[in-house]
């Protein structure tokens, strides 16, 4: 019994939230995790609103081939009856923030990852990070200057950094006490005309002071901004440094490396993992 408990403690539990169009990117993400975290026991919680059975079966086969457990969780639309839900505000945008209310109650923490991510080093240090009493751990993409941070503080009336919601370590036990879906939906309804990136804006406006800052160069590297990281680090964070030290490469923005004409440096690395996923 004691050994089983230790094995349970070692499981890294991931949360992804997507529709069937992003299933190929999920396969690439999971392949990159498996290649660079070869000894880890991983469970993948896939939150969705209606991925067809065929898509879920394909995802399950891929997970089993990697030695991972896939747990699909279809979210009942009735849960969002009081939420502003439109084409711009799909119910999926709330999933990561409301994970404490939607995931099984026996889970105490989860690591949310956007599907447009590569994991190129160990996730273990992030998974075991002490949240220091915070609800979330997340990184801000501040770049070389504080202009974007200052604009977002003014826009959202906050005094914290503006955090990217694509990588979130979540304390589910604390979240069950503090995250109220009714409050989230009410804030969304009240501010829907002014929210630019709705899920991210809500996270920052409502819970910005409950977030533990992460080093984005390691845990949420914006793949568009190689030159900014290089400048910010006085030349230290070159390509070799990224390959050795960055754990999470995030392909933020409209340009994506699986689409034609991707202009940024790490697109070829994404194609490499996409090829591995196909095999």
């Amino acid at each position: 019994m004691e050994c089983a408990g230790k094995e349970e403690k070692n499981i890294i539990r991931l949360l992804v939230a997507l529709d069937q169009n992003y299933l190929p990117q999920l396969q690439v993400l999971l392949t990159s995790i498996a290649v660079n975290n070869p000894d880890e026991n991983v469970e993948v919680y896939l939150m969705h609103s209606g991925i067809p059975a065929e898509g879920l079966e394909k995802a399950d086969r891929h997970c089993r081939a990697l030695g991972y457990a896939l747990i699909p969780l279809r979210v009942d639309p009735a849960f969002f009856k009081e939420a502003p839900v439109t084409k711009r505000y799909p119910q999926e945008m709330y999933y990561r923030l409301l994970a404490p209310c939607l995931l099984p109650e026996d889970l105490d923490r989860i690591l949310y990852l956007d599907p447009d991510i590569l994991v190129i080093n160990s996730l273990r240090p992030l998974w075991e990070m002490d949240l220091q009493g915070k609800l979330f751990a997340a990184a801000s993409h501040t770049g070389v200057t504080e202009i974007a941070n200052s604009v977002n503080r003014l826009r959202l009336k906050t005094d914290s950094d503006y955090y990217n919601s694509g990588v979130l370590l979540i304390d589910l036990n604390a979240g069950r006490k503090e995250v109220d879906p009714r409050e989230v939906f009410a804030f969304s309804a009240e501010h829907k005309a002014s929210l630019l990136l709705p899920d991210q804006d809500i996270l920052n406006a409502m819970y910005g002071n409950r977030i533990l800052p992460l080093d984005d160069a390691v845990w949420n590297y914006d793949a568009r901004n190689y030159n900014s990281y290089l400048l910010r680090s006085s030349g230290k964070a070159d390509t070799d440094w990224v390959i050795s030290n960055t754990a999470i490469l995030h392909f933020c923005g409209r340009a994506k490396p699986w689409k034609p004409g991707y202009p940024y440096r790490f697109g070829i690395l994404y194609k490499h993992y996409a090829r591995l996923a196909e095999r």
Side-chain angles (χ1 to χ4, degrees):
M1 294 294 292
E2 195 172 310
C3 290
K6 288 180 181 178
E7 182 182 350
E8 179 76 8
K9 183 179 179 180
N10 283 332
I11 297 173
I12 293 178
R13 294 184 169 92
L14 304 178
L15 173 64
V16 293
L18 43 87
D19 61 24
Q20 61 180 327
N21 295 320
Y22 264 87
L23 286 175
Q25 285 70 50
L26 175 61
Q27 290 189 359
V28 178
L29 166 61
L30 296 179
T31 298
S32 73
I33 294 171
V35 169
N36 296 296
N37 294 258
D39 300 319
E40 296 290 3
N41 191 0
V42 175
E43 289 180 353
V44 182
Y45 290 79
L46 170 54
M47 212 174 281
H48 68 101
S49 60
I51 296 176
E54 182 181 350
L56 292 176
E57 289 166 5
K58 185 175 181 181
D60 184 62
R61 286 195 302 271
H62 186 77
C63 282
R64 282 189 280 112
L66 299 174
Y68 294 172
L70 179 70
I71 301 96
L73 298 171
R74 181 168 183 170
V75 180
D76 186 352
F79 185 87
F80 296 94
K81 63 183 179 182
E82 298 178 14
V85 175
T86 64
K87 185 175 181 181
R88 183 166 180 257
Y89 289 74
Q91 70 178 46
E92 287 86 354
M93 83 171 199
Y94 298 104
Y95 288 173
R96 71 196 79 180
L97 188 56
L98 299 182
C101 313
L102 297 170
L103 288 168
E105 292 188 0
D106 60 337
L107 302 184
D108 57 6
R109 69 167 46 193
I110 202 86
L111 176 58
Y112 171 84
L113 298 176
D114 271 351
D116 56 348
I117 275 173
L118 288 179
V119 173
I120 60 173
N121 279 297
S122 175
L123 287 174
R124 176 61 57 179
L126 177 57
W127 176 249
E128 294 184 344
M129 187 173 290
D130 181 359
L131 280 167
Q132 302 174 28
K134 300 292 189 180
L135 270 176
F136 306 97
S140 59
H141 290 152
T142 55
V144 179
T145 72
E146 284 291 314
I147 294 176
N149 239 6
S150 300
V151 168
N152 283 313
R153 285 194 192 108
L154 182 64
R155 183 171 62 86
L156 298 174
K157 298 179 175 61
T158 65
D159 56 7
S160 60
D161 284 342
Y162 185 75
Y163 296 99
N164 181 272
S165 62
V167 177
L168 291 175
L169 182 63
I170 307 171
D171 182 336
L172 296 173
N173 289 330
R176 292 182 187 107
K177 298 173 184 175
E178 297 187 42
V179 177
D180 186 335
R182 292 167 298 181
E183 293 178 359
V184 171
F185 299 155
F187 182 93
S188 179
E190 182 180 351
H191 299 276
K192 63 182 179 180
S194 61
L195 300 179
L196 301 180
L197 299 169
D199 57 327
Q200 198 159 273
D201 284 354
I202 293 169
L203 171 74
N204 282 275
M206 295 188 70
Y207 303 103
N209 63 350
R210 300 290 288 123
I211 297 174
L212 179 73
L214 297 175
D215 182 353
D216 61 319
V218 177
W219 298 117
N220 193 344
Y221 185 105
D222 187 337
R224 299 170 296 183
N225 292 337
Y226 174 81
N227 289 333
S228 296
Y229 287 108
L230 194 64
L231 181 59
R232 195 171 76 185
S233 65
S234 300
K236 178 183 175 183
D238 59 10
T239 303
D240 288 339
W241 186 95
V242 172
I243 296 301
S244 297
N245 294 278
T246 296
I248 296 174
L249 268 178
H250 192 180
F251 295 89
C252 305
R254 291 185 178 275
K256 298 298 183 185
W258 58 88
K259 295 181 179 179
Y262 183 75
Y264 301 111
R265 177 174 298 256
F266 295 103
I268 189 66
L269 186 61
Y270 191 92
K271 291 181 184 297
H272 168 69
Y273 282 102
R275 180 62 175 153
L276 292 181
E278 291 173 2
R279 293 176 182 169

